[in-house]
Every structure is written in structure tokens, then in C-alpha cells.
Amino acid sequence: MSYSPTLGSVFNRTKMRDPSHVCSFSGMCAMCTADCIGSCEIGLSAVRGMETVYPTTTGENQIASEKVYPVDYSHFNINGRSFGAMGASLDADRATIYHVGLEREIGTLNPVKLALPIILPALIKLNWPDYFGGAAMAGVNAVIGEGAVSKDPTLAYENGKVVHAPKLREMLDAFNKYDRGYGQIILQANYDDDAQGVPEYAIRECGAKAIEFKFGQSAKGTQPANLVPTLEEALKKCEQGFLVLPDPRDPGVQEAYGRKACPAFHVYGRLPIWSDDYLIGRIAQLRDMGMANVYFKMAGFDPEDLEHILRLASKAQVDMVTFDGAGGGSGYSPCKMMNEWCLPTVVMESILYGILDKLAAEGMELPHVAITGGFATEDQVYKALALGAPYISAVGLCRSSMAAAMSAKKIGDLIEAGKVPPELARFGTTKEELFSDLPELRGLYGSAADGFSTGAVGVYSYLNRIAYGLRHFAALNRKFDVKHIGRRDVFPLTRDAKELLDGTWLR
């Protein structure tokens, strides 16, 4: 059998003409006919060419891998215990799910408190204001995605450096206005962002306190290639310091463009060609400017690279490294890269555990580590914390948190229009009746919570569900603080999963 999807994909709204008869090794229909209109990926590629390497359904959508991986977190079950109470007294009135401590402290020079062991990874599309706002309400970190300055219609450059991008402050304030002393808002910077001076602009002009350097993500190990529709816009991108191919400044290219014989212009995001010495110096420079915290974003690259980034993070006193495994997505990533590249998250975590154990044995001061890539529910979060214990401090919930932000905002719109869906009408028809965590938010923010966007409330409520579920699993294992979660809290169900857990059924 094939683990890869067929050549009909949600990425491009393509489908198989004969889905019941497919060649598993190629993904094509077993019989390809002369009169087929080309509804599959090959047919679309025959019309749109290189464009179809990327999804044609981005915009107001999230997109992630369609591949079925042979091993994932479902191949483990959670353990349980009937005796003891780690982190609580042996008192049935105190050793309860409501007394499980979920707070974590991360960081090196400037510690950051998290209300629960969750982060919301980098994103700057769809309903980002509520994504960031809900993170602040829940008390967790949230990351503004790479290339954020491009969202500003008033963006201005001088000599290839950003000098005007006030929308960055709006992005930071989407979190800061709800900040209650837990978590922080972080600005991600890719190689081009860094070269264009985005970090220093954000720190000096917008009050940013935390920067995340991006090395890659599970859905996009290379940087994107974005279409530039006109010669004029391509020239402008060159002036701003972007790499544009073919080079619009070349007279031969301009002549071909005039004849409509020029390949489409694309802005190619540069691969990060950073050296260790550069990054260590750059981090020191930004700290001198006022940066309080620094983060790294890494994907499931070769294990040598995973170890390299951890050693570098230790030298540079990085606060946290987030490792992103295959299965996630959400942005503008190549279709086949989303499906066919990167270590699956659970495999990556197993490798990371071995590397971190090795570095700890060397006496190295380790950065905090977060893991992300396809997580959506509390059982998955608990398993990830257990499999990586004691080295994994937090789990990233990106697509699921944005789904909460979008759906809750939509429900708010429907409430105002008097069109509450029947599935929800059984709970009520008003904001007060439908959003059951509003009383908790009033306890935190007072009456101001009544005016909060339903999208942000939705993110808070979704993460509240995750927290409540985690408390149940922790109490089941008689662990009344997340710091006590360990590898013995899970056991494998398959031989493949057993190999990921040191070859044992139960440690």
C-alpha cells in the first residue's frame, strides 16, 4: 500500500476520474483515457504548469499534509496509576484534577511564565488578531509569522532596510492589550527579514521584546516562491532587497517581457545562510537594543542539523527552540513538500530525546524545547510531553488554534445576524449563552470581557479545553504538576512505536 495521497488533492481542488481504481505507486488512475478533461493534479499541471507546485486554494484557507504516516501519536496509549500523588498531598480533597499545576517557566536571561505548556506557533494570515488575543487570554506564547511587514500597505524601505511598517505594532498589540503576565508575543524573522532590518525596526519603533529566528518549518523547508505579476512590481521588489528571478533589471528580460515571452517573475525567499558566529553576534546586538527574549524555529531536518541547532542555542542562550514535524501546515507551502518532506513529529521527537539526553550528559546548559506539527487535542499534547520528558517544555497548537479563532468569529457573526446553527442552538442563541467561558474571562478582565471578540474568546475556550483535558490525564497518572510527567506515562501499541520508546513496551 502507499502512504501518499492520490493525485486528487484539496491543495488544488483536483480529483480522480476513477477513484476506485488507482495505481498506488503513482497515484494516477489505473486507466487514463483520451477523453479525460484532466481533473487530477496532472491535468491541472498540464494547463497551469509550475504554478501547481504550490496550492491554488490558499487565501482564506488553511492547508496541511494529506499523507497517512505509518506511525504517529495514536500508536501510543496513556498509562494510569491507582496509588500515590506526585506534587500533592495524599488527601482526596486536594489530589483532584482541579489541583493539577500546568504552569511552566521558560527562558534563560529573562524567564517567561506560561499558564499552561502550550505555544501558538508562527502565523500571520486569516484571523490573526484573535489568534494572538486568545493566546494572551490563555497565558501562552504566540508568534507573528515571517514576512509580517508585507501585510502593511504603507510599508517603506530605504537602502534595502525597513523604515516604516506601523502595522507591526498593531500585530504586537493584538496580544499586548490582553497581556495578563503570562506568555509573550514574538516576532519571527526569516533570512530576508533579518537582512532588511525588521528585528531592529520592530524593537526600536514598535516595542517588540522577543524575536524568533526561522530556520525552517515542517511544511516549508525551503522559502516560498511568490508570483510577481508585473515588471514594475518586480523592479520594486528588487529595490527593496528581495531576490527576484528572472532579474527584471536585465535589459534582455525587459525586452522579452515586452514581447510577452518572459517567464513569470517570482520573489524567491532566500534560504537561511547564517553562520553560528553571525547569529551569536546578532543576538547580542539585538539584546543591546532591548530584545528580552530570543527563540529559534526549526523543522525536522537531518539529525545532525537538529543537534547543531541545539548546541548553537545553548551557546547563544536562546530561550526556546521550537521543532516542527511533518503533518502540519497552514501557510503557502509546496504541495509535495507538505506531504513528502520532513521527519514525522513523533519520529523527530524520539530523535530529539536521544540528542537532548546526550547533550545533558555532557553537562550542556540546554535551551527549553517545544514541539509542534499536527497536534490538536489534549491526548496528543500529553503524549508529546511524556515522550519527550524531561526535555520538552511545551507543545505547539497552530492550525487548531486558528480553526478556533475562525469558527468562533463566524459564530459571533451568526449570533448578530440571528442565524445560530441548529447544532449550537441547543445551548442558546446569545453570546452569553453560547460562550460558556465568559464568566472566567470576566474574573480575569472584569466587565471588559463582554466586549471581547468571539474569535479571541474561542481561542481561549479551545485552550481551556486542552488545559482541562491535560489535568484529567495528569491526575490519572497521579501527577499533580506537569513537571512530573514522564516517559512511563505512555506505552506503545505497535512494534514501530515500541522502537521509538527505547524498544520497550513500558519503561
Side-chain angles (χ1 to χ4, degrees):
M1 64 170 287
S2 173
Y3 295 110
S4 296
T6 66
L7 292 181
S9 172
V10 70
F11 297 158
N12 289 316
R13 298 200 192 282
T14 52
K15 60 184 179 181
M16 308 305 292
R17 180 187 54 79
D18 189 0
S20 60
H21 296 91
V22 174
C23 291
S24 65
F25 50 87
S26 68
M28 295 174 63
C29 292
M31 182 175 67
C32 195
T33 69
D35 61 350
C36 180
I37 61 169
S39 59
C40 71
E41 288 287 309
I42 292 175
L44 183 64
S45 301
V47 177
R48 304 302 300 175
M50 61 186 286
E51 177 184 310
T52 53
V53 165
Y54 286 87
T56 56
T57 54
T58 52
E60 295 301 305
N61 302 308
Q62 295 191 91
I63 300 174
S65 173
E66 295 182 305
K67 186 167 184 170
V68 179
Y69 288 99
V71 63
D72 58 32
Y73 289 91
S74 72
H75 288 230
F76 296 86
N77 258 24
I78 296 170
N79 203 1
R81 295 172 174 84
S82 291
F83 299 97
M86 295 182 69
S89 60
L90 286 171
D91 178 344
D93 290 340
R94 297 294 303 171
T96 75
I97 57 174
Y98 297 98
H99 294 92
V100 174
L102 296 182
E103 289 191 15
R104 276 272 164 96
E105 186 173 270
I106 63 168
T108 54
L109 304 179
N110 296 293
V112 176
K113 291 191 298 182
L114 302 179
L116 61 154
I118 297 294
I119 62 167
L120 302 197
L123 190 147
I124 190 59
K125 65 179 293 188
L126 302 172
N127 185 13
W128 57 262
D130 289 339
Y131 183 81
F132 300 143
M137 293 177 192
V140 301
N141 281 2
V143 186
I144 301 169
E146 62 184 322
V149 293
S150 67
K151 302 293 182 182
D152 194 329
T154 68
L155 175 64
Y157 292 83
E158 287 182 8
N159 300 317
K161 301 289 184 180
V162 171
V163 295
H164 186 78
K167 198 170 185 69
L168 269 183
R169 183 178 291 278
E170 181 184 337
M171 296 171 186
L172 294 163
D173 286 347
F175 180 100
N176 292 333
K177 65 183 177 182
Y178 301 112
D179 188 353
R180 58 185 183 91
Y182 289 91
Q184 68 180 166
I185 185 74
I186 303 156
L187 176 65
Q188 186 178 85
N190 62 29
Y191 191 83
D192 285 318
D193 289 328
D194 184 60
Q196 293 168 8
V198 173
E200 48 262 62
Y201 176 85
I203 292 166
R204 289 172 171 165
E205 303 298 330
C206 303
K209 295 297 182 184
I211 301 295
E212 179 179 85
F213 288 93
K214 181 184 177 184
F215 294 81
Q217 68 187 68
S218 67
K220 191 165 57 190
T222 61
Q223 288 300 99
N226 293 293
L227 180 68
V228 182
T230 66
L231 173 64
E232 292 71 27
E233 189 171 342
L235 289 167
K236 182 178 179 181
K237 289 292 183 183
C238 284
E239 291 172 5
Q240 293 170 345
F242 289 101
L243 177 63
V244 183
L245 295 176
D247 188 344
R249 297 164 297 188
D250 185 324
V253 169
Q254 294 183 6
E255 188 273 333
Y257 179 83
R259 292 187 291 109
K260 297 184 179 180
C262 178
F265 295 110
H266 284 87
V267 170
Y268 288 91
R270 293 178 174 92
L271 290 172
I273 310 294
W274 284 312
S275 69
D276 290 14
D277 288 344
Y278 170 79
L279 280 171
I280 290 170
R282 179 67 163 147
I283 289 167
Q285 178 189 38
L286 293 175
R287 280 181 170 138
D288 288 343
M289 292 180 193
M291 179 181 69
N293 298 96
V294 61
Y295 299 80
F296 284 169
K297 175 68 174 291
M298 185 65 168
F301 291 101
D302 187 280
E304 288 186 2
D305 289 7
L306 303 185
E307 182 171 337
H308 186 148
I309 203 78
L310 286 166
R311 290 185 181 277
L312 172 58
S314 178
K315 289 180 185 176
Q317 295 182 291
V318 168
D319 294 281
M320 178 179 275
V321 183
T322 298
F323 290 90
D324 190 2
S330 80
Y332 182 62
S333 308
C335 303
K336 284 300 182 180
M337 196 171 288
M338 280 190 273
N339 281 341
E340 306 297 337
W341 177 74
C342 192
L343 290 167
T345 308
V346 70
V347 176
M348 180 183 69
E349 183 174 15
S350 178
I351 294 170
L352 280 171
Y353 175 84
I355 295 171
L356 288 160
D357 216 33
K358 168 188 168 182
L359 300 183
E362 293 177 11
M364 183 174 292
E365 192 72 27
L366 297 175
H368 285 86
V369 174
I371 193 162
T372 189
F375 296 104
T377 56
E378 64 269 23
D379 59 304
Q380 297 163 349
V381 172
Y382 193 91
K383 291 172 186 177
L385 292 172
L387 282 168
Y391 304 116
I392 302 300
S393 298
V395 175
L397 299 173
C398 184
R399 293 188 69 235
S400 55
S401 296
M402 178 51 75
M406 292 190 298
S407 62
K409 183 178 184 298
K410 181 66 175 179
I411 295 303
D413 294 341
L414 292 172
I415 290 172
E416 290 187 7
K419 298 177 180 179
V420 175
E423 301 92 327
L424 292 176
R426 60 195 174 101
F427 299 110
T429 58
T430 67
K431 182 178 176 180
E432 177 76 23
E433 292 170 335
L434 284 170
F435 288 88
S436 61
D437 286 335
L438 272 175
E440 282 191 25
L441 286 169
R442 289 194 192 102
L444 293 171
Y445 297 95
S447 60
D450 293 326
F452 288 172
S453 163
T454 57
V457 173
V459 174
Y460 174 85
S461 290
Y462 163 65
L463 295 179
N464 210 13
R465 176 253 166 87
I466 297 294
Y468 195 43
L470 283 177
R471 289 188 169 100
H472 281 73
F473 283 125
L476 171 67
N477 280 281
R478 299 301 180 101
K479 308 286 181 71
F480 292 91
D481 193 291
V482 288
K483 68 183 180 183
H484 297 303
I485 294 174
R487 299 196 98 199
R488 196 176 169 85
D489 290 358
V490 292
F491 56 87
L493 300 176
T494 64
R495 295 188 186 280
D496 287 338
K498 178 183 173 185
E499 291 303 311
L500 296 176
L501 196 60
D502 300 335
T504 62
W505 291 108
L506 193 59
R507 297 183 81 247

